[in-house]
Amino acid sequence: AVAEVKLRDDQYTLDHMRAFGMYNYLHLDSWYQDNVYYVDQCGRVMNLSVTLDTALQKPREVFRLPTDLTAYDNRLCASVHFSSSTWVTLSDGTGRLYLIKSGKRGNGASEKWEIVFNEELGSPFIIAHSVSFVKSDMHSVAVLLLRVEKDELDTKGSGFHITLEWVTIAEISKEGDHRYEILKRRVLQGKSVPHYAAIEPSGDGLMIVSYKPFKFMQDEDDKLEENDDAKATNEKKDPLYYWQQTEDDVTITVHIPQDIAKDDIKVRFSPDNICVTLKDQPPLMEGKLYSSVDHESCTWIIRENKSLEISLIKKNEGPQWPELIVGDIRGEFIMDSSQCSEITETLMHLTSEVMNPNPEKENPPCNAQELEECDAFLEDSTSLCRFDGDTLKVTHVINLGSNQYLFSVVVDPREMPCFCLRHDVDALLWQPHSDQPENMWEHIATFNALGYVQASKQDKKFMACAPDYSYAALCECLRRVFIYRQPTPLSTVLYNRKEGRQVGQVAKQLVATLEANDPILGFQATNERLFVLTTKTLFLIKVNSGN
């Protein structure tokens, strides 16, 4: 049977349930077609690879965990992640990590897994993600370990926090001896289990979708430096400059010391930059402007009250600038009263003095009765963050707002996993491209109405879609599997009687009921079939016939 590890009495929070109680015990090897793995109660990694439906083999053992798992009281479930077509990371759930050279997988008897690294890495964890890459001629594997740990300082919350440990293991050559050793260990901490956490293929960064923010835990020295910075920022309360804007220009006001004369001031304009220096001091203001200006028309004067006033003429009239100098937070934006009233006017139609003033009106602004209970989404501020691996700082933050996270899927194993978000009634699939700053998240597929349909499935446990987007699927905790095909053209003419229009295509929904009384523990989708794992049975559902 599958090595299911039930939650213990001290694992009672929603985060324990999310991370370990809803764990997917079936692992899809995206590098090879229709190749799945699970770990059984004897600690054996079992593989089933399908080539022909008519000649299904029994699952076969490809590796056996060296530890006797029954001896551990506080272990988690074993976890597996396929870092590349020949490398695998494996955890036995006791806090030990294995790096395995598997050779080519899924091809029967020749599959031999060989341990090249194994080390105790502290308290038990599950593997969230891993990648294999070569940097400056050195082969490395980066792994993301997820833990839910007791937090003594947290007296108001659940008493636990979540850590993501980013471990990089690299091949080190010493006197002709090749060995894999830990190169770096870095820890992020947050207050909710991430919906999605993945390392970029190059090993340079990390992307996380989570309800509560994560941040890197620093060493003591860094903390001291941070405190000094914090002290410095507390002392400098007043903004360095104030700025205002209209549709076509920007005005900056800078207070200057009494002893500065006009000749001491240098203001340099260029189409995208500004630089202001006083006497021989380092620049007072310098950097890239939010948008281009007509630099030849920009001017500056000194006012009577010893302030320097700079006028910038916007190249593109109209759009409001959210900031003046990119990344500079030392200034304060002042909105003039006419702008305030303009904005208020544009928002007027969205608000009214009274709550639902005229409920009989044709289109009420919002009718709370129409929102079904399943549409109310608890987590209201999920965000997507990208962390830089060198600076350990956040480089991008996107507030996903009400775009509920649904599931993730590997479309191309050489790229990061995609994530699927609810957009209104639909579900949209996004592919991260860490190497394309202009196109970092690309919309690659849409599942019509899936956002709405899945919301009504109160018992849903897992969700997935085919890597070629031909269908999406979800399963409940017991027995039922729902398959949603993409719309396909009809061979016969079909009319919508109510509206009298011709229907060109139809999207089919299929329901499969498994002959099993055990709960579903694993769920994976490939282009042709769905794999559903219960404690003692692995079901295969043929969805599409092969080409």
Side-chain angles (χ1 to χ4, degrees), residues 225-235:
E225 269 177 41
E226 236 183 40
N227 287 345
D228 293 347
D229 291 352
K231 271 187 202 143
T233 50
N234 284 348
E235 285 158 19

Side-chain angles (χ1 to χ4, degrees), residues 16-49:
H16 286 104
M17 187 67 201
R18 277 215 170 124
F20 314 130
M22 300 286 276
Y23 185 73
N24 194 339
Y25 284 86
L26 190 61
H27 307 281
L28 179 68
D29 181 355
S30 305
W31 301 88
Y32 299 94
Q33 192 82 36
D34 290 75
N35 200 28
V36 293
Y37 293 79
Y38 65 90
V39 181
D40 74 7
Q41 286 175 350
C42 308
R44 299 180 299 177
V45 178
M46 304 296 285
N47 162 249
L48 177 80
S49 55

Side-chain angles (χ1 to χ4, degrees), residues 31 81-84 87 89 99 127 129-134 139-144 166-169 198-205 413-417:
W31 301 88
H81 194 270
F82 301 96
S83 322
S84 80
W87 290 92
T89 49
L99 176 58
I127 298 172
H129 190 242
S130 67
V131 291
S132 158
F133 55 94
V134 175
H139 175 243
S140 306
V141 174
V143 198
L144 215 46
W166 181 1
V167 183
T168 308
I169 301 162
I199 304 165
E200 296 172 356
S202 59
D204 291 334
R414 293 177 301 271
E415 296 257 17
M416 296 178 78

Side-chain angles (χ1 to χ4, degrees), residues 401-421:
S402 57
N403 298 114
Q404 178 191 1
Y405 172 90
L406 299 177
F407 62 90
S408 75
V409 58
V410 175
V411 166
D412 176 352
R414 293 177 301 271
E415 296 257 17
M416 296 178 78
C418 301
F419 49 84
C420 189
L421 303 177

Side-chain angles (χ1 to χ4, degrees), residues 163-439:
T163 62
L164 278 171
E165 184 174 5
W166 181 1
V167 183
T168 308
I169 301 162
E171 184 177 26
I172 316 277
S173 324
K174 284 185 190 153
E175 298 140 23
D177 180 26
H178 292 281
R179 292 188 44 200
Y180 279 84
E181 290 179 4
I182 291 182
L183 209 57
K184 276 187 196 160
R185 289 180 74 166
R186 291 157 297 185
V187 176
L188 291 112
Q189 197 173 301
K191 285 305 243 178
S192 71
V193 168
H195 295 299
Y196 171 101
I199 304 165
E200 296 172 356
S202 59
D204 291 334
L206 192 62
M207 287 188 200
I208 296 175
V209 176
S210 63
Y211 174 46
K212 300 269 174 68
F214 272 80
K215 67 169 202 274
F216 275 98
M217 305 309 293
Q218 289 151 330
D219 303 335
E220 288 304 311
D221 306 349
D222 296 357
K223 274 199 183 141
L224 292 174
E225 269 177 41
E226 236 183 40
N227 287 345
D228 293 347
D229 291 352
K231 271 187 202 143
T233 50
N234 284 348
E235 285 158 19
K236 289 202 291 261
K237 278 280 184 349
D238 289 334
L240 179 67
Y241 57 88
Y242 295 93
W243 64 290
Q244 288 177 293
Q245 63 178 323
T246 64
E247 288 198 347
D248 35 34
D249 63 27
V250 174
T251 309
I252 309 161
T253 310
V254 188
H255 183 73
I256 49 175
Q258 292 292 331
D259 58 337
I260 296 282
K262 188 171 183 178
D263 298 342
D264 298 331
I265 300 173
K266 282 195 178 58
V267 183
R268 278 207 317 275
F269 301 111
S270 71
D272 297 304
N273 287 277
I274 186 172
C275 178
V276 180
T277 44
L278 305 181
K279 272 190 173 162
D280 307 322
Q281 298 167 5
L284 187 68
M285 290 169 65
E286 182 181 30
K288 183 178 187 314
L289 294 166
Y290 173 76
S291 185
S292 299
V293 293
D294 179 356
H295 65 291
E296 287 173 356
S297 311
C298 297
T299 56
W300 61 273
I301 57 166
I302 294 183
R303 293 257 175 231
E304 308 79 64
N305 61 355
K306 266 309 200 192
S307 65
L308 166 67
E309 190 172 286
I310 303 169
S311 294
L312 306 178
I313 308 300
K314 293 182 182 178
K315 201 157 208 161
N316 306 322
E317 288 180 19
Q320 292 281 316
W321 292 12
E323 57 181 343
L324 176 67
I325 295 173
V326 178
D328 187 347
I329 52 168
R330 298 170 304 163
E332 187 175 307
F333 175 60
I334 298 173
M335 198 181 280
D336 71 15
S337 53
S338 66
Q339 276 174 317
C340 290
S341 55
E342 247 173 67
I343 289 175
T344 316
E345 259 169 52
T346 53
L347 298 177
M348 268 306 278
H349 73 284
L350 298 176
T351 59
S352 74
E353 295 296 312
V354 245
M355 294 290 284
N356 205 355
N358 183 359
E360 303 308 312
K361 206 172 69 182
E362 294 250 311
N363 294 326
C366 170
N367 183 351
Q369 279 76 35
E370 277 178 22
L371 278 179
E372 297 175 21
E373 191 187 344
C374 61
D375 288 321
F377 179 50
L378 296 169
E379 306 194 329
D380 47 8
S381 65
T382 299
S383 58
L384 160 62
C385 295
R386 181 193 176 268
F387 292 86
D388 182 280
D390 294 327
T391 63
L392 307 188
K393 297 265 188 293
V394 176
T395 59
H396 298 70
V397 180
I398 295 173
N399 184 350
L400 298 178
S402 57
N403 298 114
Q404 178 191 1
Y405 172 90
L406 299 177
F407 62 90
S408 75
V409 58
V410 175
V411 166
D412 176 352
R414 293 177 301 271
E415 296 257 17
M416 296 178 78
C418 301
F419 49 84
C420 189
L421 303 177
R422 179 177 176 173
H423 289 252
D424 196 19
V425 297
D426 301 330
L428 270 57
L429 198 60
W430 299 88
Q431 171 69 68
H433 298 291
S434 53
D435 52 346
Q436 300 174 26
E438 267 63 64
N439 184 28

